[in-house]
């Protein structure tokens, strides 16, 4: 068994131990590791425009991983400052890391920006705190609960589509961000969109600050300086906290029996009756669910519209399926469950354009992983996008849109049952995945019932890493109203 132990001292010495273990990687700068090179590569490719038929965007979006994987193979090491990171693109090793039942890995440190955005809610919580929170929130996402939300999600979609009636062209990326924020505000927090929108806008602004700061030089003490970005971050954190407190207080005042059965109600019951959650924890969890609950699903919908615009035959097949199962009526949960082709299409979109492109963990002790020993404190980077686009894993057509590969289910679509990592796997897998799939199916069905669509000639195919995978300049489409 070989150790890839790497401490800062070994970094200084050229990481001899790592090289001895056969794990190679780019040499980094003494202070900044490979960070400058990564920024440079990403800057150079930022304005790259791809052919609309090409889904092979790794060279643009993750040029660092693309370059080093071609030089060193799927397992290599690189440096973020003085922190070593191990890139692993083998789905079996990824599964072992993500499904580890003994808690040998924790979530990677995300820095103050993302912490401000998400709060220390479920996505970033650890150990006993995480288990306690997950127990409280899980009942909000059972199938029975989700079924009761279909009407609310459909109402939100209907409001958006009524607006589309007046339009010939829409920028769907923005439309879907508003729609999914609206849907999570109503279903999880029972709040009006007016209040939810304030949280949503504060999170958008914070997200832009985080993305912009990636390209600026960072020093370890940066977060303590009164820079414009830090001042804005604190202002937005206060704004989010005040708005969330407002939403919570309104629920307290409404004196609903046991605070309600939605996510907010369950958390408030846990706070008031069982003392299993504090008010600060509820606020953090609200931030997490506001962000996680809309950001990813909106991009799933956006990329689905992109792929159905460029594959008109699939747009037509899905429309036929929707009209067969739901007619022109608003779809309910039972009808939605019959949309087999739509499920395959959504999985294929999640494979090609997974909103979450990287999963990260840190070893909390020396851990055996395959034939390696990962030393304590080593970060492990699982390149979801790289795994999803690998020809070795998905076959020669890995970069093509082929929903039929999911005909026999997700576990049989590739040469490894856990190769599909859009929702991750193991105990920290996405708690909102059924909600996301349900919402995407309702919205998509309602769009297909009413409109056909093609890409606007103004569209530029520029997938970009903006914490999630997004079209850099939005997605304008041209609509045709089918009932006109
Ligand atoms: C297409 C939509 C979505 C995608 C692709 C997605 C993806 C993911 C992924 C990859 C993770 C795991 C991260 C990791 O292992 O480090 C995750 C976790 C999580 N997601 Fe989602 N998500 C989606 C929708 C949602 C929705 C709608 C909600 C809430 C309603 C949600 C809430 C969460 C939460 C709370 C976690 C943390 C779970 C835990 O650690 O216990 N997600 N999501």
């Amino acid at each position: 068994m070989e150790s890839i132990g790497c401490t800062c001292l070994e970094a200084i010495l050229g990481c001899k131990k790592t090289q001895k273990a056969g794990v190679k990687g780019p040499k980094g700068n003494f202070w900044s590791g490979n960070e400058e090179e990564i920024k440079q590569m990403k800057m150079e490719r930022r304005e790259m425009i791809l052919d609309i038929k090409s889904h092979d965007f790794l060279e643009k979006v993750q040029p660092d991983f693309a370059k080093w994987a071609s030089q060193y193979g799927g397992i290599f090491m690189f440096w973020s400052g003085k922190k070593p990171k191990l890139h692993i693109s083998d789905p079996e090793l990824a599964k072992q890391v993500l499904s580890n039942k003994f808690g040998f890995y924790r979530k990677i440190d995300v820095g103050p920006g993302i912490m401000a955005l998400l709060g220390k809610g479920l996505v970033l919580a650890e150990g006993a705190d995480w288990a306690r929170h997950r127990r409280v929130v899980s009942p909000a996402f059972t199938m029975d609960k989700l079924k009761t939300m279909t009407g609310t999600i459909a109402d939100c979609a209907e409001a958006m589509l009524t607006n589309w009636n007046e339009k010939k062209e829409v920028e769907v990326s923005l439309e879907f961000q508003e729609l999914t924020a609206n849907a999570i505000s109503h279903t999880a927090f029972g709040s009006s969109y007016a209040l939810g929108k304030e949280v949503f806008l504060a999170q958008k602004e914070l997200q832009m600050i985080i993305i912009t700061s990636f390209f600026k030089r960072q020093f370890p003490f940066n977060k303590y300086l009164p820079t414009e970005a830090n001042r804005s971050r604190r202002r937005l954190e206060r704004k989010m906290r005040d708005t969330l407190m407002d939403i919570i207080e309104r629920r307290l005042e409404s004196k609903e029996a046991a605070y309600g059965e939605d996510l907010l109600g369950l958390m408030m019951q846990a706070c008031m009756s069982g003392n299993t959650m504090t008010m600060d924890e509820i606020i953090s969890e609200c931030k997490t669910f506001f962000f996680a609950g809309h950001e990813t699903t909106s991009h799933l919908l956006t990329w689905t519209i992109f792929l159905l615009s460029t594959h008109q035959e699939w747009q037509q097949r899905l429309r036929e399926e929707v009209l067969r199962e739901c007619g022109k009526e608003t779809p309910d949960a039972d009808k939605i469950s019959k949309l087999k082709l739509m499920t395959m299409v959504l999985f294929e979109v999640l494979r090609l354009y997974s909103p979450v492109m990287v999963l990260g963990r840190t070893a909390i002790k020396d851990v055996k992983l395959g034939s390696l020993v990962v030393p304590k404190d080593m970060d492990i980077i699982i390149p979801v996008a790289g795994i999803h686009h690998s020809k070795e894993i998905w076959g020669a057509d890995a970069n093509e849109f082929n929903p039929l590969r999911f005909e026999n289910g997700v576990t049989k679509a590739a040469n490894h049952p856990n190769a599909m990592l859009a929702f991750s796997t193991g105990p920290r897998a996405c708690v909102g995945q059924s909600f996301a799939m349900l919402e995407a199916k309702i919205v998509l069905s309602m769009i297909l019932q009413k409109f056909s669509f093609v890409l606007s000639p103004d569209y530029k195919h520029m997938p970009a890493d903006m914490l999630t995978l997004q079209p850099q300049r939005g997605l304008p489409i041209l609509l045709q109203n089918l009932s006109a």
Side-chain angles (χ1 to χ4, degrees), residues 272-290:
M272 301 301 177
S273 30
N275 279 330
T276 39
M277 260 180 138
T278 65
M279 204 42 98
D280 271 349
E281 286 176 329
I282 294 186
I283 290 176
S284 282
E285 217 52 90
C286 289
K287 279 191 203 173
T288 294
F289 275 88
F290 255 110

Side-chain angles (χ1 to χ4, degrees), residues 147-356:
K147 280 187 180 176
T148 66
M149 297 176 192
T150 49
T152 311
I153 297 172
D155 288 347
C156 296
E158 187 61 49
M160 177 187 80
L161 296 180
T162 305
N163 257 324
W164 287 16
N165 279 333
E166 311 297 315
K167 297 180 179 172
K168 294 232 168 329
E169 178 165 347
V170 281
E171 201 287 86
V172 288
S173 165
L174 281 178
E175 296 276 319
F176 290 149
Q177 286 178 50
E178 291 230 351
L179 166 70
T180 51
N182 193 5
I184 197 75
S185 295
H186 278 97
T187 52
F189 301 100
S191 103
S192 73
Y193 186 46
L195 274 179
K197 191 165 184 172
E198 288 186 29
V199 182
F200 163 69
L201 290 176
Q203 288 186 327
K204 277 272 131 242
E205 213 180 314
L206 206 47
Q207 191 174 3
M208 285 322 293
I209 293 174
I210 299 168
I211 296 164
T212 321
S213 67
F214 172 79
F215 291 101
K216 295 194 179 137
R217 186 175 275 272
Q218 299 292 323
F219 299 101
F221 47 83
N222 254 19
K223 61 180 169 195
Y224 304 110
L225 299 177
T227 58
E228 204 188 319
N230 283 342
R231 281 201 305 271
S232 300
R233 186 168 47 108
R234 283 187 201 111
R235 172 180 58 79
L236 292 165
E237 274 187 270
R238 274 195 305 277
K239 170 89 195 143
M240 270 193 279
R241 193 184 165 86
D242 291 349
T243 314
L244 291 169
M245 273 315 293
D246 197 0
I247 293 175
I248 293 169
E249 275 161 14
R250 283 174 195 224
R251 181 67 64 94
L252 278 171
E253 280 161 19
S254 76
K255 296 197 179 63
E256 275 177 35
Y259 308 109
E261 293 292 310
D262 62 4
L263 177 72
L264 181 59
L266 292 175
M267 292 196 293
M268 286 176 62
Q269 272 174 52
C271 176
M272 301 301 177
S273 30
N275 279 330
T276 39
M277 260 180 138
T278 65
M279 204 42 98
D280 271 349
E281 286 176 329
I282 294 186
I283 290 176
S284 282
E285 217 52 90
C286 289
K287 279 191 203 173
T288 294
F289 275 88
F290 255 110
F291 190 76
H294 83 268
E295 172 73 13
T296 42
T297 317
S298 72
H299 303 311
L300 165 61
L301 278 164
T302 299
W303 291 119
T304 305
I305 295 295
F306 165 70
L307 285 161
L308 293 181
S309 299
T310 49
H311 295 82
Q312 288 287 324
E313 72 288 6
W314 274 101
Q315 186 182 140
Q316 192 48 32
R317 282 178 82 169
L318 286 202
R319 185 172 295 108
E320 281 162 17
E321 183 181 60
V322 171
L323 293 176
R324 191 172 60 244
E325 300 299 344
C326 316
K328 290 260 180 180
E329 281 166 28
T330 307
D332 61 26
D334 290 334
K335 290 184 182 127
I336 288 290
S337 68
K338 296 191 182 127
L339 302 176
K340 305 282 179 246
L341 283 179
M342 190 179 284
T343 307
M344 289 193 257
V345 165
L346 290 174
F347 279 133
E348 183 66 341
V349 178
L350 284 167
R351 183 186 70 83
L352 280 173
Y353 291 88
S354 175
V356 177

Side-chain angles (χ1 to χ4, degrees), residues 2-6 14-26 72-79 85-88 93 369 371-375 378:
E2 298 185 283
S3 167
I4 52 163
C6 262
C15 204
K16 291 217 163 56
K17 214 168 170 182
T18 310
Q19 286 166 344
K20 213 172 95 192
V23 177
K24 297 198 171 70
Y72 307 110
I75 301 182
F76 60 82
M77 238 189 63
F78 65 103
W79 297 85
K85 292 184 184 274
L86 182 66
H87 173 284
I88 286 184
L93 297 183
L369 180 64
S371 63
L372 302 168
V373 172
V374 181
M378 168 79 88

Side-chain angles (χ1 to χ4, degrees), residues 13-183:
L13 296 173
C15 204
K16 291 217 163 56
K17 214 168 170 182
T18 310
Q19 286 166 344
K20 213 172 95 192
V23 177
K24 297 198 171 70
K27 283 217 161 45
N29 172 285
F30 178 72
W31 291 110
S32 59
N34 301 106
E35 275 173 9
E36 294 309 314
E37 188 186 352
I38 295 173
K39 281 179 193 173
Q40 177 78 24
M41 280 192 258
K42 291 194 173 175
M43 281 293 272
E44 282 167 11
R45 286 153 183 85
R46 222 165 139 172
E47 297 307 313
M48 205 166 145
I49 301 175
L50 306 182
D51 187 288
I52 53 163
K53 293 205 181 78
S54 169
H55 311 306
D56 187 4
F57 55 74
L58 295 181
E59 173 59 29
K60 173 182 188 303
V61 180
Q62 292 177 333
D64 43 351
F65 293 172
K67 178 181 170 193
W68 296 329
S70 73
Q71 277 179 316
Y72 307 110
I75 301 182
F76 60 82
M77 238 189 63
F78 65 103
W79 297 85
S80 181
K82 294 197 175 298
K83 188 117 176 97
K85 292 184 184 274
L86 182 66
H87 173 284
I88 286 184
S89 62
D90 175 342
E92 177 52 34
L93 297 183
K95 187 193 95 179
Q96 287 179 28
V97 172
L98 296 170
S99 306
N100 185 279
K101 293 196 174 65
F102 307 104
F104 291 167
Y105 303 97
R106 62 172 170 80
K107 290 276 178 108
I108 222 161
D109 283 339
V110 291
I114 294 183
M115 186 56 95
L117 185 64
L118 286 174
K120 208 163 177 8
L122 208 55
V123 172
L124 301 176
E126 287 297 340
D129 283 344
W130 167 76
R132 178 167 50 86
H133 284 217
R134 184 119 182 176
R135 261 198 310 277
V136 172
V137 307
S138 291
F141 297 99
T142 58
M143 244 327 154
D144 281 352
K145 280 278 165 57
L146 293 180
K147 280 187 180 176
T148 66
M149 297 176 192
T150 49
T152 311
I153 297 172
D155 288 347
C156 296
E158 187 61 49
M160 177 187 80
L161 296 180
T162 305
N163 257 324
W164 287 16
N165 279 333
E166 311 297 315
K167 297 180 179 172
K168 294 232 168 329
E169 178 165 347
V170 281
E171 201 287 86
V172 288
S173 165
L174 281 178
E175 296 276 319
F176 290 149
Q177 286 178 50
E178 291 230 351
L179 166 70
T180 51
N182 193 5

